[in-house]
Structures are given as structure tokens and as C-alpha cells.
Coordinates of all heavy atoms in Angstrom, one line a residue:
P89 N 0.8 -1.2 0.0 CA 0.0 0.0 0.0 C 0.9 1.3 0.0 O 2.0 1.3 0.5 CB -0.8 -0.1 1.3 CG 0.0 -1.0 2.2 CD 0.7 -2.0 1.2
T90 N 0.3 2.3 -0.5 CA 1.0 3.6 -0.5 C 0.3 4.5 0.5 O -0.9 4.6 0.6 CB 0.9 4.3 -1.9 OG1 1.6 3.4 -2.8 CG2 1.6 5.6 -1.9
I91 N 1.2 5.0 1.4 CA 0.7 5.9 2.5 C 1.3 7.3 2.3 O 2.5 7.4 2.0 CB 1.2 5.3 3.9 CG1 1.0 3.8 4.0 CG2 0.6 6.1 5.0 CD1 -0.4 3.3 4.1
T92 N 0.5 8.3 2.5 CA 1.0 9.7 2.5 C 1.1 10.2 3.9 O 0.2 10.1 4.7 CB 0.0 10.5 1.6 OG1 -0.1 10.0 0.3 CG2 0.5 12.0 1.6
F93 N 2.3 10.8 4.1 CA 2.6 11.5 5.4 C 2.6 12.9 5.1 O 3.4 13.4 4.2 CB 3.9 11.0 6.0 CG 4.0 9.5 6.4 CD1 4.1 8.5 5.5 CD2 3.9 9.2 7.7 CE1 4.2 7.2 5.8 CE2 3.9 7.9 8.1 CZ 4.1 6.9 7.2
I94 N 1.9 13.7 5.9 CA 2.0 15.2 5.7 C 2.6 15.8 6.9 O 2.1 15.6 8.0 CB 0.5 15.8 5.5 CG1 -0.1 15.0 4.3 CG2 0.6 17.3 5.2 CD1 -1.5 15.5 4.0
R95 N 3.6 16.6 6.7 CA 4.3 17.3 7.8 C 3.5 18.5 8.2 O 2.7 19.0 7.5 CB 5.7 17.7 7.4 CG 6.6 16.5 7.1 CD 8.1 16.9 7.3 NE 8.4 18.2 6.8 CZ 9.4 18.5 6.0 NH1 10.3 17.5 5.8 NH2 9.6 19.7 5.6
P96 N 3.8 19.0 9.4 CA 3.1 20.2 9.9 C 3.2 21.4 8.9 O 2.3 22.2 8.8 CB 3.7 20.5 11.2 CG 4.3 19.2 11.7 CD 4.7 18.5 10.5
D97 N 4.3 21.5 8.2 CA 4.5 22.6 7.2 C 3.8 22.3 5.9 O 3.9 23.1 5.0 CB 6.0 22.9 7.0 CG 6.7 21.7 6.3 OD1 6.1 20.7 5.9 OD2 8.0 21.9 6.2
G98 N 3.1 21.2 5.8 CA 2.4 20.9 4.6 C 3.1 20.0 3.6 O 2.5 19.5 2.6
A99 N 4.4 19.8 3.8 CA 5.2 19.0 2.9 C 4.7 17.5 2.9 O 4.4 17.0 4.0 CB 6.6 19.0 3.2
Q100 N 4.5 16.9 1.8 CA 4.0 15.6 1.8 C 5.0 14.6 1.3 O 5.8 14.9 0.5 CB 2.8 15.5 0.8 CG 1.7 16.3 1.1 CD 0.4 16.0 0.3 OE1 0.4 15.0 -0.4 NE2 -0.6 16.9 0.4
R101 N 4.9 13.4 1.8 CA 5.8 12.3 1.4 C 5.0 11.1 1.2 O 4.3 10.7 2.2 CB 6.9 12.1 2.4 CG 7.9 11.1 2.1 CD 9.2 11.7 1.6 NE 10.1 10.6 1.3 CZ 11.1 10.2 2.1 NH1 11.3 10.9 3.2 NH2 11.9 9.2 1.8
E102 N 5.1 10.5 0.0 CA 4.3 9.2 -0.2 C 5.3 8.1 -0.1 O 6.4 8.1 -0.7 CB 3.8 9.2 -1.6 CG 2.5 9.8 -1.7 CD 1.9 9.6 -3.1 OE1 2.3 8.7 -3.9 OE2 1.0 10.4 -3.5
L103 N 5.0 7.1 0.7 CA 5.8 5.9 0.9 C 5.0 4.7 0.5 O 3.9 4.5 0.9 CB 6.2 5.7 2.3 CG 7.1 6.8 3.0 CD1 7.4 6.4 4.4 CD2 8.3 7.1 2.2
T104 N 5.6 3.8 -0.4 CA 5.0 2.6 -0.7 C 5.7 1.5 0.2 O 6.9 1.4 0.2 CB 5.2 2.2 -2.2 OG1 4.6 3.2 -2.9 CG2 4.5 0.9 -2.5
I105 N 4.9 0.9 1.0 CA 5.5 0.1 2.1 C 4.9 -1.4 2.0 O 3.8 -1.6 1.5 CB 5.3 0.7 3.5 CG1 3.8 0.7 3.9 CG2 5.7 2.1 3.5 CD1 3.6 1.4 5.2
A106 N 5.6 -2.3 2.6 CA 5.3 -3.7 2.5 C 4.1 -3.9 3.5 O 4.1 -3.4 4.6 CB 6.4 -4.5 2.9
E107 N 3.2 -4.8 3.1 CA 2.2 -5.2 4.0 C 2.8 -5.9 5.2 O 3.8 -6.6 5.1 CB 1.2 -6.3 3.3 CG 0.3 -5.6 2.4 CD -0.8 -6.6 1.9 OE1 -1.6 -7.1 2.8 OE2 -0.9 -6.9 0.7
G108 N 2.2 -5.6 6.4 CA 2.7 -6.2 7.6 C 3.7 -5.3 8.3 O 4.1 -5.5 9.4
T109 N 4.1 -4.2 7.6 CA 5.0 -3.2 8.2 C 4.2 -2.2 8.9 O 3.1 -1.8 8.4 CB 5.8 -2.5 7.1 OG1 6.5 -3.5 6.3 CG2 6.9 -1.6 7.7
S110 N 4.6 -1.7 10.1 CA 3.9 -0.6 10.7 C 4.3 0.7 10.0 O 5.3 0.9 9.5 CB 4.2 -0.5 12.2 OG 5.4 0.1 12.4
L111 N 3.4 1.7 10.1 CA 3.6 3.0 9.6 C 4.9 3.6 10.2 O 5.6 4.3 9.6 CB 2.4 3.9 9.8 CG 1.5 4.0 8.6 CD1 0.9 2.6 8.2 CD2 0.3 4.9 8.9
M112 N 5.0 3.4 11.5 CA 6.2 3.9 12.2 C 7.5 3.3 11.6 O 8.5 4.0 11.3 CB 6.1 3.6 13.7 CG 7.3 4.0 14.5 SD 8.8 2.9 14.4 CE 8.3 1.5 15.4
Q113 N 7.5 2.0 11.4 CA 8.7 1.3 10.8 C 9.0 1.9 9.5 O 10.2 2.2 9.1 CB 8.5 -0.2 10.7 CG 8.5 -1.0 12.0 CD 8.1 -2.4 11.8 OE1 7.2 -2.7 11.1 NE2 8.8 -3.3 12.5
A114 N 8.0 2.1 8.7 CA 8.2 2.6 7.3 C 8.7 4.0 7.4 O 9.7 4.3 6.6 CB 6.9 2.5 6.5
A115 N 8.2 4.8 8.2 CA 8.6 6.2 8.3 C 10.1 6.3 8.8 O 10.9 7.1 8.2 CB 7.7 7.0 9.3
T116 N 10.4 5.6 9.8 CA 11.8 5.7 10.3 C 12.8 5.0 9.3 O 13.8 5.6 9.0 CB 12.0 5.0 11.7 OG1 11.5 3.7 11.6 CG2 11.2 5.7 12.7
H117 N 12.4 4.0 8.6 CA 13.2 3.3 7.6 C 13.5 4.3 6.5 O 14.6 4.3 5.9 CB 12.5 2.1 7.1 CG 13.3 1.4 6.0 ND1 14.4 0.6 6.3 CD2 13.1 1.3 4.7 CE1 14.9 0.1 5.2 NE2 14.2 0.5 4.2
H118 N 12.5 5.1 6.1 CA 12.7 6.1 5.0 C 13.2 7.4 5.5 O 13.3 8.4 4.7 CB 11.4 6.2 4.3 CG 11.1 5.1 3.4 ND1 10.3 4.0 3.9 CD2 11.4 4.7 2.2 CE1 10.2 3.1 2.9 NE2 10.9 3.5 1.9
G119 N 13.6 7.5 6.8 CA 14.2 8.7 7.3 C 13.3 9.9 7.4 O 13.7 11.1 7.3
L120 N 12.0 9.6 7.5 CA 11.0 10.7 7.6 C 11.2 11.3 9.0 O 11.0 10.6 10.0 CB 9.6 10.0 7.5 CG 8.5 10.9 7.1 CD1 8.5 11.0 5.6 CD2 7.2 10.3 7.6
D121 N 11.5 12.6 9.0 CA 11.5 13.2 10.4 C 10.1 13.5 10.9 O 9.2 13.5 10.1 CB 12.4 14.5 10.4 CG 12.0 15.5 9.4 OD1 11.0 15.3 8.8 OD2 12.8 16.4 9.2
G122 N 10.0 13.6 12.1 CA 8.6 13.8 12.7 C 8.0 12.6 13.4 O 7.0 12.7 14.0
I123 N 8.7 11.5 13.2 CA 8.4 10.3 14.0 C 9.6 9.9 14.8 O 10.7 9.7 14.2 CB 8.0 9.1 13.0 CG1 6.8 9.4 12.2 CG2 7.8 7.8 13.9 CD1 5.5 9.2 12.8
V124 N 9.5 9.9 16.1 CA 10.7 9.6 16.9 C 10.8 8.2 17.3 O 11.8 7.5 17.2 CB 10.6 10.5 18.2 CG1 11.8 10.2 19.1 CG2 10.7 12.0 17.8
A125 N 9.7 7.6 17.8 CA 9.6 6.1 18.0 C 10.6 5.7 19.0 O 11.4 4.7 18.8 CB 9.7 5.4 16.7
E126 N 10.7 6.4 20.2 CA 11.7 6.0 21.2 C 11.6 4.6 21.7 O 12.6 4.0 22.0 CB 11.4 6.9 22.4 CG 12.2 8.2 22.4 CD 11.8 9.2 23.5 OE1 11.0 8.8 24.3 OE2 12.3 10.3 23.4
C127 N 10.4 4.0 21.7 CA 10.3 2.7 22.3 C 10.5 1.6 21.2 O 10.4 0.4 21.5 CB 9.0 2.5 23.1 SG 7.6 2.2 22.0
G128 N 10.7 2.0 20.0 CA 10.9 1.0 18.9 C 9.6 0.2 18.5 O 9.7 -0.8 18.0
G129 N 8.5 0.8 18.8 CA 7.3 0.2 18.4 C 6.5 -0.7 19.4 O 5.7 -1.5 19.0
N130 N 6.9 -0.6 20.6 CA 6.3 -1.4 21.6 C 5.1 -0.8 22.3 O 4.7 -1.3 23.4 CB 7.4 -1.8 22.7 CG 8.4 -2.7 22.0 OD1 8.1 -3.7 21.4 ND2 9.7 -2.4 22.2
A131 N 4.5 0.2 21.8 CA 3.4 0.9 22.4 C 3.7 1.3 23.8 O 2.9 1.1 24.7 CB 2.1 0.0 22.3
M132 N 4.8 2.0 24.0 CA 5.2 2.4 25.3 C 5.7 3.9 25.4 O 6.0 4.4 26.4 CB 6.4 1.6 25.8 CG 6.0 0.2 26.2 SD 7.4 -0.9 26.5 CE 8.0 -0.1 27.9
C133 N 5.7 4.6 24.2 CA 6.4 5.9 24.3 C 5.5 7.1 23.8 O 5.7 8.2 24.2 CB 7.7 5.9 23.6 SG 7.5 5.9 21.7
A134 N 4.6 6.8 22.8 CA 3.7 7.8 22.2 C 4.5 8.9 21.4 O 4.0 10.0 21.2 CB 2.8 8.5 23.2
T135 N 5.8 8.6 21.0 CA 6.5 9.5 20.2 C 6.4 9.1 18.7 O 7.2 9.5 17.9 CB 8.0 9.6 20.6 OG1 8.6 8.3 20.4 CG2 8.1 10.1 22.0
C136 N 5.4 8.3 18.4 CA 5.1 8.0 17.0 C 3.7 8.4 16.6 O 3.1 7.9 15.7 CB 5.3 6.5 16.8 SG 4.1 5.5 17.7
H137 N 3.2 9.4 17.4 CA 1.9 9.9 17.2 C 1.6 10.5 15.8 O 2.5 11.2 15.3 CB 1.8 11.1 18.3 CG 0.5 11.8 18.4 ND1 0.4 13.0 19.0 CD2 -0.8 11.4 18.0 CE1 -0.9 13.4 18.9 NE2 -1.6 12.5 18.3
V138 N 0.5 10.1 15.3 CA 0.0 10.7 14.0 C -1.5 11.0 14.1 O -2.2 10.5 14.9 CB 0.3 9.8 12.8 CG1 1.7 9.6 12.5 CG2 -0.5 8.5 12.9
Y139 N -1.9 11.9 13.2 CA -3.3 12.2 13.0 C -3.8 11.5 11.7 O -3.2 11.9 10.7 CB -3.6 13.7 13.0 CG -3.1 14.5 14.2 CD1 -2.1 15.5 14.0 CD2 -3.6 14.2 15.4 CE1 -1.7 16.2 15.1 CE2 -3.2 15.0 16.5 CZ -2.2 16.0 16.4 OH -1.8 16.7 17.4
V140 N -4.7 10.7 11.8 CA -5.2 10.0 10.6 C -6.3 10.9 10.0 O -7.1 11.4 10.7 CB -5.8 8.6 11.0 CG1 -6.5 7.9 9.9 CG2 -4.8 7.7 11.7
E141 N -6.2 11.0 8.7 CA -7.3 11.9 8.0 C -8.7 11.3 8.3 O -8.9 10.1 8.4 CB -7.0 11.9 6.5 CG -5.8 12.7 6.1 CD -6.1 14.1 5.9 OE1 -6.8 14.4 4.9 OE2 -5.7 15.0 6.7
D142 N -9.6 12.2 8.5 CA -10.9 11.9 8.9 C -11.5 10.7 8.2 O -12.1 9.8 8.8 CB -11.9 13.0 8.7 CG -11.7 14.1 9.9 OD1 -11.1 13.7 10.9 OD2 -12.1 15.2 9.7
A143 N -11.4 10.7 6.9 CA -12.1 9.7 6.1 C -11.5 8.3 6.4 O -12.2 7.3 6.2 CB -11.9 10.0 4.6
W144 N -10.3 8.2 6.9 CA -9.7 6.9 7.2 C -9.8 6.5 8.6 O -9.7 5.3 8.9 CB -8.2 7.0 6.8 CG -8.0 7.0 5.4 CD1 -7.9 8.1 4.6 CD2 -7.9 5.9 4.6 NE1 -7.7 7.7 3.3 CE2 -7.7 6.3 3.2 CE3 -7.9 4.5 4.8 CZ2 -7.5 5.4 2.2 CZ3 -7.8 3.6 3.7 CH2 -7.6 4.1 2.4
S145 N -10.1 7.5 9.5 CA -10.1 7.2 10.9 C -11.0 6.0 11.3 O -10.6 5.1 12.0 CB -10.5 8.4 11.6 OG -10.0 8.4 12.9
E146 N -12.1 5.9 10.7 CA -13.1 4.9 11.1 C -12.7 3.5 10.4 O -13.3 2.5 10.8 CB -14.5 5.2 10.6 CG -15.0 6.5 11.2 CD -16.1 7.2 10.3 OE1 -16.5 6.5 9.3 OE2 -16.4 8.3 10.6
R147 N -11.9 3.6 9.4 CA -11.5 2.3 8.7 C -10.4 1.6 9.4 O -10.1 0.5 8.9 CB -11.2 2.7 7.3 CG -12.5 3.1 6.5 CD -12.3 3.9 5.3 NE -11.8 3.1 4.2 CZ -11.6 3.6 3.0 NH1 -11.9 4.9 2.8 NH2 -11.1 2.9 2.1
L148 N -9.8 2.2 10.4 CA -8.7 1.5 11.0 C -9.2 0.6 12.2 O -10.3 0.9 12.7 CB -7.7 2.5 11.6 CG -7.0 3.3 10.6 CD1 -6.1 4.3 11.4 CD2 -6.1 2.5 9.7
P149 N -8.5 -0.4 12.5 CA -8.9 -1.2 13.7 C -9.0 -0.3 14.9 O -8.2 0.7 15.0 CB -7.8 -2.3 13.8 CG -7.1 -2.3 12.5 CD -7.3 -1.0 11.9
P150 N -9.9 -0.6 15.9 CA -10.0 0.3 17.0 C -8.7 0.3 17.9 O -7.9 -0.6 17.8 CB -11.1 -0.3 17.8 CG -11.4 -1.7 17.3 CD -10.8 -1.8 15.9
L151 N -8.6 1.3 18.7 CA -7.5 1.5 19.6 C -7.5 0.4 20.7 O -8.5 0.0 21.2 CB -7.7 2.8 20.4 CG -7.7 4.2 19.8 CD1 -8.3 5.2 20.7 CD2 -6.3 4.5 19.5
S152 N -6.3 0.0 21.0 CA -6.2 -0.9 22.2 C -6.2 0.0 23.4 O -6.0 1.2 23.3 CB -4.9 -1.7 22.1 OG -3.8 -0.8 22.3
E153 N -6.4 -0.6 24.5 CA -6.4 0.1 25.8 C -5.0 0.8 26.0 O -4.9 1.9 26.5 CB -6.6 -0.8 27.0 CG -8.1 -0.9 27.3 CD -8.3 -1.9 28.5 OE1 -7.5 -1.7 29.5 OE2 -9.2 -2.7 28.5
D154 N -3.9 0.1 25.7 CA -2.6 0.7 25.9 C -2.4 1.9 25.0 O -1.9 2.9 25.4 CB -1.5 -0.3 25.5 CG -1.3 -1.4 26.5 OD1 -1.9 -1.2 27.6 OD2 -0.6 -2.4 26.2
E155 N -2.8 1.8 23.7 CA -2.7 2.9 22.8 C -3.5 4.1 23.3 O -3.0 5.2 23.3 CB -3.1 2.4 21.4 CG -2.9 3.5 20.3 CD -3.3 3.0 18.9 OE1 -3.7 1.9 18.7 OE2 -3.2 3.9 18.0
D156 N -4.7 3.8 23.7 CA -5.6 4.9 24.2 C -4.9 5.6 25.4 O -4.9 6.8 25.4 CB -6.9 4.2 24.6 CG -8.0 5.2 24.9 OD1 -7.8 6.4 24.5 OD2 -9.0 4.9 25.5
A157 N -4.4 4.8 26.3 CA -3.8 5.5 27.5 C -2.5 6.3 27.1 O -2.3 7.4 27.6 CB -3.4 4.4 28.5
L158 N -1.7 5.7 26.2 CA -0.5 6.4 25.8 C -0.8 7.7 25.1 O -0.1 8.7 25.3 CB 0.3 5.5 24.9 CG 1.3 4.6 25.6 CD1 1.8 3.6 24.6 CD2 2.4 5.4 26.2
L159 N -1.8 7.7 24.3 CA -2.1 8.9 23.5 C -2.5 10.1 24.4 O -2.2 11.2 24.1 CB -3.2 8.6 22.5 CG -2.8 7.9 21.3 CD1 -4.0 7.4 20.5 CD2 -1.9 8.8 20.4
D160 N -3.0 9.8 25.6 CA -3.2 10.9 26.5 C -1.9 11.6 27.0 O -2.0 12.7 27.4 CB -3.9 10.3 27.8 CG -5.4 10.1 27.6 OD1 -6.0 10.7 26.7 OD2 -6.0 9.3 28.4
G161 N -0.8 10.9 26.9 CA 0.4 11.5 27.2 C 1.3 12.0 26.1 O 2.4 12.3 26.3
A162 N 0.7 12.0 24.9 CA 1.4 12.4 23.7 C 1.8 13.9 23.9 O 1.1 14.7 24.5 CB 0.6 12.2 22.4
A163 N 3.0 14.3 23.3 CA 3.5 15.7 23.5 C 2.6 16.7 22.8 O 2.3 17.7 23.3 CB 4.9 15.8 22.9
A164 N 2.1 16.4 21.6 CA 1.2 17.3 20.9 C -0.2 17.0 21.3 O -0.5 15.9 21.9 CB 1.4 17.1 19.4
E165 N -1.1 17.9 21.0 CA -2.5 17.8 21.3 C -3.1 16.5 20.8 O -2.9 16.1 19.7 CB -3.3 19.0 20.7 CG -4.7 19.0 21.1 CD -5.5 20.1 20.3 OE1 -4.9 20.7 19.4 OE2 -6.7 20.2 20.6
R166 N -3.9 15.8 21.7 CA -4.6 14.6 21.2 C -5.9 15.1 20.5 O -6.6 15.9 21.1 CB -4.9 13.7 22.4 CG -5.6 12.5 21.9 CD -5.8 11.5 23.0 NE -6.5 10.3 22.5 CZ -6.8 9.2 23.2 NH1 -6.4 9.1 24.4 NH2 -7.4 8.2 22.6
L167 N -6.1 14.5 19.4 CA -7.4 14.7 18.7 C -8.1 13.4 18.5 O -7.6 12.3 18.8 CB -7.1 15.3 17.3 CG -6.3 16.6 17.2 CD1 -6.0 17.0 15.8 CD2 -7.1 17.7 17.9
P168 N -9.4 13.5 18.1 CA -10.2 12.2 18.0 C -9.5 11.3 17.0 O -9.8 10.1 17.0 CB -11.5 12.7 17.5 CG -11.7 14.1 18.0 CD -10.3 14.7 18.0
T169 N -8.7 11.8 16.1 CA -8.1 11.0 15.0 C -6.7 10.6 15.3 O -6.0 10.1 14.5 CB -8.1 11.8 13.7 OG1 -7.4 13.1 13.9 CG2 -9.5 12.1 13.2
S170 N -6.3 10.9 16.6 CA -4.9 10.5 17.0 C -4.7 9.0 17.1 O -5.6 8.3 17.6 CB -4.6 11.1 18.4 OG -4.5 12.5 18.3
R171 N -3.6 8.6 16.6 CA -3.2 7.2 16.7 C -1.7 7.1 16.9 O -1.0 8.0 16.6 CB -3.6 6.4 15.4 CG -5.0 6.3 15.1 CD -5.9 5.6 16.1 NE -5.5 4.2 16.3 CZ -6.2 3.1 15.9 NH1 -7.3 3.3 15.2 NH2 -5.8 1.9 16.1
L172 N -1.3 5.9 17.3 CA 0.2 5.6 17.4 C 0.5 4.9 16.1 O 0.0 3.8 15.8 CB 0.5 4.7 18.6 CG 0.3 5.3 19.9 CD1 0.6 4.3 21.0 CD2 1.1 6.6 20.2
S173 N 1.5 5.5 15.3 CA 1.8 4.9 14.0 C 2.5 3.5 14.1 O 2.4 2.7 13.1 CB 2.7 5.8 13.2 OG 3.9 6.1 13.8
C174 N 3.0 3.2 15.3 CA 3.6 1.8 15.4 C 2.5 0.7 15.5 O 2.8 -0.4 15.5 CB 4.5 1.7 16.6 SG 3.8 1.8 18.2
Q175 N 1.3 1.2 15.8 CA 0.1 0.3 16.0 C -0.7 0.2 14.7 O -1.8 -0.5 14.7 CB -0.7 0.6 17.2 CG 0.1 0.7 18.5 CD 0.8 -0.6 18.8 OE1 0.1 -1.7 18.9 NE2 2.1 -0.6 19.0
I176 N -0.3 0.9 13.7 CA -1.1 0.8 12.4 C -0.2 0.0 11.4 O 0.9 0.4 11.0 CB -1.3 2.2 11.8 CG1 -2.0 3.1 12.8 CG2 -2.1 2.1 10.5 CD1 -2.2 4.6 12.3
I177 N -0.8 -1.2 11.1 CA 0.0 -2.1 10.3 C -0.6 -2.0 8.9 O -1.8 -2.1 8.7 CB -0.2 -3.6 10.8 CG1 0.2 -3.7 12.3 CG2 0.6 -4.6 10.0 CD1 1.6 -3.3 12.6
A178 N 0.4 -1.8 7.9 CA 0.0 -1.6 6.5 C -0.7 -2.9 6.0 O -0.1 -4.0 6.1 CB 1.2 -1.3 5.7
T179 N -1.8 -2.7 5.4 CA -2.5 -3.8 4.6 C -3.0 -3.2 3.3 O -3.0 -2.0 3.2 CB -3.7 -4.3 5.4 OG1 -4.7 -3.3 5.5 CG2 -3.4 -4.9 6.8
A180 N -3.3 -4.1 2.4 CA -3.8 -3.6 1.1 C -5.0 -2.7 1.2 O -5.1 -1.7 0.5 CB -4.1 -4.8 0.2
A181 N -5.8 -2.9 2.2 CA -7.0 -2.1 2.5 C -6.6 -0.7 2.9 O -7.5 0.2 2.8 CB -7.8 -2.8 3.6
L182 N -5.4 -0.5 3.3 CA -5.0 0.9 3.7 C -4.3 1.7 2.6 O -3.8 2.7 2.8 CB -4.1 0.8 4.9 CG -4.8 0.3 6.2 CD1 -3.8 0.4 7.4 CD2 -6.1 0.9 6.5
D183 N -4.3 1.1 1.4 CA -3.7 1.8 0.3 C -4.4 3.2 0.1 O -5.6 3.3 0.0 CB -3.9 1.0 -1.0 CG -3.1 1.6 -2.2 OD1 -2.0 2.0 -2.0 OD2 -3.7 1.8 -3.3
G184 N -3.6 4.2 0.1 CA -4.1 5.6 0.0 C -4.3 6.3 1.3 O -4.7 7.5 1.3
L185 N -4.0 5.6 2.4 CA -4.2 6.2 3.7 C -3.3 7.5 3.8 O -2.2 7.6 3.3 CB -3.7 5.2 4.8 CG -3.6 5.7 6.2 CD1 -5.0 6.0 6.8 CD2 -3.0 4.6 7.1
V186 N -3.9 8.5 4.5 CA -3.2 9.8 4.7 C -3.1 10.0 6.2 O -4.1 10.0 6.9 CB -3.9 10.9 4.0 CG1 -3.2 12.3 4.2 CG2 -4.1 10.7 2.5
V187 N -1.9 10.3 6.6 CA -1.7 10.7 8.0 C -0.9 12.0 8.1 O -0.1 12.3 7.3 CB -1.0 9.6 8.9 CG1 -1.8 8.3 8.9 CG2 0.4 9.4 8.4
R188 N -1.3 12.8 9.2 CA -0.5 14.0 9.4 C 0.3 13.9 10.6 O 0.0 13.2 11.6 CB -1.5 15.2 9.7 CG -2.3 15.5 8.5 CD -3.3 16.7 8.7 NE -4.0 17.0 7.5 CZ -3.5 17.9 6.6 NH1 -2.4 18.6 6.9 NH2 -4.1 18.1 5.5
L189 N 1.5 14.5 10.5 CA 2.4 14.4 11.7 C 2.2 15.6 12.6 O 1.9 16.7 12.1 CB 3.9 14.5 11.1 CG 4.3 13.3 10.2 CD1 5.6 13.6 9.5 CD2 4.4 12.0 11.0
P190 N 2.2 15.3 13.9 CA 2.0 16.4 14.8 C 3.2 17.4 14.8 O 4.3 17.1 14.3 CB 1.8 15.7 16.2 CG 2.5 14.4 16.0 CD 2.5 14.1 14.6
D191 N 3.1 18.5 15.5 CA 4.2 19.5 15.5 C 5.3 19.1 16.4 O 6.4 19.7 16.3 CB 3.7 20.9 15.8 CG 3.0 21.0 17.1 OD1 2.9 20.0 17.9 OD2 2.5 22.1 17.5
R192 N 5.1 18.2 17.3 CA 6.2 17.7 18.1 C 5.9 16.3 18.6 O 4.7 16.0 18.7 CB 6.5 18.7 19.2 CG 5.4 18.8 20.2 CD 5.8 20.0 21.2 NE 4.8 20.0 22.3 CZ 3.6 20.6 22.2 NH1 3.2 21.1 21.0 NH2 2.8 20.6 23.2
Q193 N 6.9 15.6 19.0 CA 6.7 14.2 19.5 C 7.2 14.1 21.0 O 7.0 13.1 21.6 CB 7.4 13.2 18.7 CG 6.9 13.0 17.3 CD 5.6 12.3 17.2 OE1 4.9 12.0 18.2 NE2 5.1 11.9 16.0
V194 N 8.0 15.1 21.4 CA 8.6 15.0 22.7 C 8.5 16.3 23.4 O 8.3 17.4 22.7 CB 10.1 14.5 22.8 CG1 10.2 13.1 22.4 CG2 10.9 15.4 21.9
Ligands
LIG273 FE1 6.7 3.9 20.9 FE2 4.9 3.8 18.9 S1 7.1 3.8 18.8 S2 4.5 3.9 21.0

């Protein structure tokens, strides 16, 4: 699937990533700044926070309790569309997904 990441300044980057890869892994692998991922994808840090575009928000699997709790501690404002990018696993169904990066992760 191809996923679009939009930085706070509006710059966009499209990444075509392998199914089964998390958005966080893809972003860090491609050197996308704006994702810190201190805990390496273990749902423990909330520095991989992203905002999922409205149209996609409902199409993702629901938040786990851990993800929900961590998002409360995210550095940037939590919105209804906030997710942890390490918990979003790329599948064919997510082709075209658009996420926005928050203005800070720590
Ligand atoms: Fe730490 Fe996602 S990388 S919670």
C-alpha cells in the first residue's frame, strides 16, 4: 500500500510500504523526520503519534487500551483522530491512507 505522510508545514511524502510493516517502521526506515519512536514500536512511548485523516479514521482497527492510554500522554494535542503509528499495520486495504504528523513528539 501507498501511504501519504503530511508534515506540519504541509510537505507531503508518499511511501509505498510492505504489508505487515507498521507506519512507524516505514517512516523511520525512510528517514522521515517527525516520527521519533523512542520505544521501537512497543506501544510504550507515544513519540510515533500521528493524526489519521478523517475519512480513514473509522476504517482502522480500534484503539487498544494501551494505545488509548498512551495517547493521553502524547506531546502534541490529542485529537479524535490521533493514533500511534507503530500500531497501524499496513495492509492492502489501507492503500491511499493519509496521516498528518504532529508539530512535536517529545
Ligand atoms: Fe513507541 Fe509507537 S514507537 S509507542
Side-chain angles (χ1 to χ4, degrees):
T90 298
I91 313 288
T92 301
F93 294 79
I94 305 178
R95 293 207 317 226
D97 66 3
Q100 297 193 12
R101 181 101 180 259
E102 274 187 18
L103 300 181
T104 300
I105 68 184
E107 283 191 61
T109 306
S110 76
L111 266 56
M112 176 283 281
Q113 285 172 319
T116 53
H117 179 75
H118 287 90
L120 202 84
D121 53 10
I123 299 278
V124 177
E126 270 169 5
C127 79
N130 293 311
M132 289 172 62
C133 72
T135 61
C136 63
H137 180 198
V138 295
Y139 303 119
V140 175
E141 287 273 288
D142 282 342
W144 285 93
S145 203
E146 298 153 11
R147 291 157 72 174
L148 294 179
L151 292 165
S152 69
E153 270 180 44
D154 284 350
E155 185 177 356
D156 191 16
L158 271 169
L159 281 166
D160 281 340
E165 181 188 8
R166 180 175 182 174
L167 299 178
T169 55
S170 289
R171 297 297 299 253
L172 296 179
S173 61
C174 70
Q175 303 301 304
I176 304 176
I177 307 300
T179 62
L182 295 187
D183 186 46
L185 174 66
V186 180
V187 300
R188 291 179 176 274
L189 299 168
D191 58 1
R192 62 188 189 281
Q193 294 285 10
V194 291

